[in-house]
Amino acid sequence: MSQDCIFCKIIDGELPSRSVYEDEDVFAFLDVNPLAEGHTLVVPKAHDPRVGGLPDDVAAAVFTAMSELTPAIERAVDADGMTVAVNDGEAAGQEVPHVHGHLVPRFEGDGVGPIHSLQWARPDLDDAALDDVAESIREAR
Ligand code: AMP
Ligand code: ZN
């Protein structure tokens, strides 16, 4: 538990939430400022700011919970799909530094588009540059 983390306080019951799921490692609750009806946050119970810090079993538990919740949320709000996303790190827009997966229900014709429709300044990478990036990632693991 991190003392000044709002999600730790929610998990602990110090702050209120509309919880929708709980198991040994994972807690899930409605986003207080939803992007769509049913917008849910799925969090590991143990405080960790970044995806890369999660132990394997916790990462698996978070994704398993997201997989279980997705069809349930779709049924509950009659959604046609789900955007499953994590803002990981301040540069990616993360505001609460406790890992959380966003489950945002999507509806035919909602006009939002895929995450590709964010205002990316796309890099111009040729095949050789893409090969280099892939190799760098493999080597950095
Ligand atoms: P992010 O920008 O990925 O860090 O998202 C943080 C999310 O947490 C936002 O969608 C907020 O609406 C949501 N949020 C912040 N405080 C609360 C809270 N007390 N209960 C539920 N959701 C919250
Ligand atoms: Zn926390």
Side-chain angles (χ1 to χ4, degrees), residues 6-7 29-33 41 87 93-96 100 102:
I6 55 172
F7 287 177
F29 52 100
L30 292 189
D31 194 296
V32 77
N33 189 18
L41 302 176
N87 297 321
Q94 183 180 8
E95 291 181 354
V96 178
H100 49 284
H102 291 264

Side-chain angles (χ1 to χ4, degrees), residues 109-120:
D110 65 17
V112 177
I115 59 170
H116 291 67
S117 61
L118 293 171
Q119 298 299 308
W120 301 101

